[in-house]
Amino acid sequence: MLQRKTQTAEYWEREFEITEEDIEHLYSLILERNSPVSTKELVLEVIRHRCQQEEERMRAELSRGVIYQPRDSYEVGQQLVFPVFDYRVGTVVSIRPGHNPEHGEFDVIAVQFEDEDKPREFAANLKTPHKLNRGDDDGAELWEAAHLIPPDELYEKYGDRVRQLVVEALSRPDSEFVSYDDLWMLQGLLAEVHVGHLNLAEALIEVKGQPVTVQEILAELDLPEEIPEGIKEFSLNVALQQDERFDLVHGRDGELWFLRRMEPPEALSTPKWLVYTPVRYNRAFLSVELLQIEWELDDEWTEGGISTDSASLVPSTTVVLTYPHWKAGTLPLSSRTRSFFPPGDHKRGVITFVDGRWGQRFPGWIVYEDRYICGLRDWYEQHKLPPGAYIILERTADPNEIMVDFRPRRMRREWTRVASVEDGRLVFRMEKQPVACEYDEHVLIGEGDEAALEALRVQLAEQNVDIAELLAMVFPELAKLSPQGTVHAKTLYSAINIVRRCPPGPIFAALMSDRSYREMGNGYYALNVEA
């Protein structure tokens, strides 16, 4: 059975290209509906339209002649349709006898196609079977839908490439199409949203002091009543999207608009302490014990750190506040914390934190792409939380609010490691520091001269010092603080992250692949004097 081109992978994956006719068809579709249309609907419509076009072309061509079949006899002047050549029509211009020991006697017909200079020859009156011979239904099976893949299944199979081409075509600078959040509309159908409307939107957000929905803004604008509500919302969303004052964020209840100037700087650009440049390493070096420690640290950049479905059922979770997040006033959006925050496809989301100690509410900003939640700097400072503190996230009755807490205890001065800089090197010493919360003793490292540490961080980045070199720098310094000369893997991770953002994996792989270090058990390592 011959297959229609639109039923093949070859057509959709290689031959298909968007034409002006496709664009005009989509233009008419949106014009007729007079409402925003999703990208998926447009792509499906293109696929349906191409299938329909092929069928119409087939019917038109087949009406001009009979379907060529090698078993049939033909006359000079007769018009034939060749499905195998995309239903092209040709005229029989001559007939001669043919002979082949395998097929016996048959005719050879010369067929002249409209767009070719020379005729082609084909077998006719053939007595032996041939794959181009059809049934006795005169091509009726070409119209049977039972064997055809429907457009929605073609979309599932080949929609990705078609979608890419459709979006590219509709997004051209001279396009009359306008998009917002995977919806499309015609520029000429949009409601007029002028600068006065946008100024009112800015004032509304400023007065409320929090992100608002597009419906809340529309309620304050005087747009013509005869315009459908869906077009009003789409038009306002497009106008807000094109104005640099406004920022689209994601909340539990959907999309919200806010003012960029009211967002914390760390929500708009990633704090320098959190910027991670991926490092290639061999995870096969990580022992079972180190994999367990890696899981405990729950770094947001750990490979395979994806939340599970069961995580959404957990009422609370505890994370260790690492130095980079302490400096940035952030928390990691990691496998353990991700389910506590609204999922989102936008760059940023917003949530309300509730202080578990004092009950105060304050906004938190979720930066999905760079995997962190910001807005906690003041909270850390108010409660004097150090790096290494245990931070608790707890769900509340309101899905838009997350309680953030720590484990308090009586203030006392503890011997802790403190990082500083000497002769361009990262060094450590033991000092007594006031601590009023429970913490992970392996992760807690105090900060000495802040300016010197920052200068060293910049210097090491400029010199492109790798993880192995950093490990060699900090290990002896940390080992000298222990009577046994040992250092815990968590402490190495914490120390290196003072001057370079890195998840545990590359650090642990460098530790295990270097004979300069030997494993002592329970996560501790020592310098190998025999190396």
Side-chain angles (χ1 to χ4, degrees):
M1 179 180 293
L2 290 172
Q3 194 172 26
R4 301 187 187 189
K5 289 179 65 175
T6 55
Q7 297 287 295
T8 65
E10 175 73 20
Y11 177 77
W12 295 110
E13 293 177 354
R14 291 183 175 84
E15 297 180 22
F16 174 80
E17 296 292 340
I18 291 291
T19 65
E20 285 303 317
E21 185 180 356
D22 293 321
I23 301 299
E24 291 174 8
H25 182 73
L26 296 181
Y27 184 99
S28 299
L29 173 71
I30 297 177
L31 190 64
E32 180 181 351
R33 291 194 184 183
N34 194 30
S35 64
V37 181
S38 70
T39 305
K40 179 179 180 179
E41 289 181 275
L42 295 180
V43 173
L44 263 172
E45 185 58 32
V46 168
I47 293 174
R48 289 193 197 100
H49 187 54
R50 286 297 182 95
C51 292
Q52 182 181 355
Q53 282 182 313
E54 183 177 35
E55 179 160 333
E56 290 174 353
R57 186 175 67 255
M58 286 166 50
R59 290 185 182 277
E61 296 295 347
L62 288 172
S63 68
R64 297 175 57 189
V66 298
I67 297 176
Y68 164 72
Q69 299 187 79
R71 70 183 180 190
D72 292 340
S73 299
Y74 302 103
E75 299 176 355
V76 173
Q78 191 171 6
Q79 285 195 316
L80 305 181
V81 180
F82 291 78
V84 72
F85 296 144
D86 196 21
Y87 302 93
R88 293 173 65 192
V89 177
T91 303
V92 179
V93 294
S94 67
I95 303 174
R96 65 175 176 82
H99 181 76
N100 184 301
E102 183 179 348
H103 298 287
E105 294 183 356
F106 60 94
D107 294 334
V108 176
I109 59 174
V111 178
Q112 181 66 56
F113 291 97
E114 296 172 348
D115 55 350
E116 295 183 3
D117 296 332
K118 296 181 179 180
R120 298 193 199 185
E121 292 189 332
F122 300 90
N125 197 22
L126 191 66
K127 302 300 187 291
T128 55
H130 194 283
K131 64 180 181 180
L132 294 183
N133 284 327
R134 316 179 71 80
D136 297 325
D137 53 8
D138 196 25
E141 80 275 11
L142 289 171
W143 317 118
E144 292 178 0
H147 68 277
L148 297 179
I149 304 174
D152 56 341
E153 289 187 26
L154 291 173
Y155 174 86
E156 294 300 325
K157 286 174 174 283
Y158 314 115
D160 288 347
R161 180 173 182 269
V162 180
R163 181 189 183 95
Q164 179 184 349
L165 294 175
V166 168
V167 170
E168 287 177 359
L170 300 187
S171 302
R172 292 189 305 229
D174 60 344
S175 173
E176 297 181 69
F177 295 81
V178 182
S179 69
Y180 171 78
D181 193 29
D182 206 38
L183 294 174
W184 295 85
M185 196 62 186
L186 300 177
Q187 183 72 49
L189 295 180
L190 297 184
E192 182 184 0
V193 179
H194 52 66
V195 66
H197 293 138
L198 297 175
N199 290 340
L200 284 173
E202 180 181 23
L204 173 66
I205 296 172
E206 192 163 18
V207 169
K208 285 184 173 287
Q210 63 184 24
V212 300
T213 64
V214 70
Q215 292 84 3
E216 290 178 272
I217 300 174
L218 271 178
E220 302 298 322
L221 305 184
D222 187 23
L223 295 182
E225 294 183 2
E226 63 270 17
I227 299 177
E229 202 65 24
I231 293 182
K232 288 182 184 179
E233 290 185 11
F234 186 91
S235 303
L236 179 54
N237 277 325
V238 169
L240 292 169
Q241 178 180 254
Q242 294 173 347
D243 192 312
E244 293 184 355
R245 290 175 290 177
F246 301 94
D247 189 27
L248 181 66
V249 298
H250 192 84
R252 290 281 186 193
D253 299 326
E255 296 172 348
L256 303 168
W257 287 101
F258 201 51
L259 298 175
R260 289 181 183 273
R261 59 182 171 81
M262 294 179 67
E263 295 177 11
E266 53 268 26
L268 297 173
S269 61
T270 305
K272 54 192 174 185
W273 304 283
L274 301 184
V275 176
Y276 169 53
T277 302
V279 177
R280 296 183 63 182
Y281 68 102
N282 187 352
R283 287 187 64 81
F285 281 117
L286 274 61
S287 64
V288 173
E289 184 176 60
L290 286 176
L291 289 172
Q292 174 65 27
I293 293 172
E294 181 185 52
W295 177 84
E296 291 174 7
L297 289 168
D298 194 39
D299 191 290
E300 68 270 26
W301 291 109
T302 290
E303 290 186 25
I306 302 173
S307 60
T308 61
D309 293 338
S310 60
S312 61
L313 305 176
V314 177
S316 65
T317 191
T318 301
V319 295
V320 177
L321 179 59
T322 61
Y323 178 88
H325 286 288
W326 174 76
K327 285 290 289 183
T330 58
L331 278 175
L333 191 64
S334 63
S335 61
R336 203 168 296 158
T337 65
R338 185 177 294 273
S339 69
F340 284 77
F341 301 94
D345 299 325
H346 302 293
K347 290 184 178 180
R348 284 171 287 280
V350 65
I351 196 76
T352 298
F353 280 120
V354 181
D355 185 346
R357 297 291 99 197
W358 301 341
Q360 293 178 336
R361 285 169 168 76
F362 57 96
W365 298 88
I366 309 153
V367 182
Y368 296 101
E369 185 176 3
D370 291 321
R371 306 183 188 182
Y372 65 89
I373 307 103
C374 62
L376 293 148
R377 184 189 301 278
D378 291 344
W379 187 75
Y380 292 159
E381 292 177 355
Q382 288 169 3
H383 295 289
K384 297 180 172 56
L385 299 178
Y390 290 117
I391 305 298
I392 303 167
L393 296 176
E394 185 174 340
R395 303 181 197 277
T396 67
D398 185 344
N400 292 303
E401 295 185 347
I402 299 295
M403 183 174 291
V404 59
D405 205 351
F406 60 97
R407 299 173 185 170
R409 72 177 195 189
R410 184 185 298 275
M411 171 78 74
R412 62 172 179 257
R413 298 180 68 82
E414 301 272 10
W415 284 105
T416 62
R417 305 173 195 86
V418 175
S420 58
V421 179
E422 290 182 6
D423 300 325
R425 296 172 59 253
L426 182 62
V427 298
F428 299 88
R429 63 181 183 274
M430 298 297 291
E431 287 186 6
K432 278 200 168 184
Q433 301 280 337
V435 182
C437 66
E438 293 186 15
Y439 60 92
D440 187 320
E441 62 178 346
H442 301 305
V443 177
L444 173 57
I445 297 180
E447 183 181 54
D449 187 333
E450 180 181 359
L453 286 171
E454 174 59 19
L456 179 61
R457 185 189 68 80
V458 173
Q459 176 188 330
L460 294 173
E462 291 175 347
Q463 295 174 349
N464 199 27
V465 176
D466 63 23
I467 297 299
E469 292 176 275
L470 291 176
L471 190 60
M473 178 191 298
V474 303
F475 199 108
E477 283 292 320
L478 293 168
K480 73 182 183 183
L481 304 180
S482 165
Q484 295 80 24
T486 58
V487 186
H488 198 275
K490 285 185 180 180
T491 308
L492 293 170
Y493 160 78
S494 186
I496 287 177
N497 270 272
I498 292 174
V499 290
R500 175 171 174 172
R501 181 70 185 95
C502 186
I507 299 171
F508 293 170
L511 179 68
M512 294 296 289
S513 61
D514 192 332
R515 290 191 171 186
S516 300
Y517 316 105
R518 58 193 175 98
E519 190 173 359
M520 304 299 291
N522 296 321
Y524 286 93
Y525 291 80
L527 287 171
N528 190 352
V529 294
E530 298 178 358

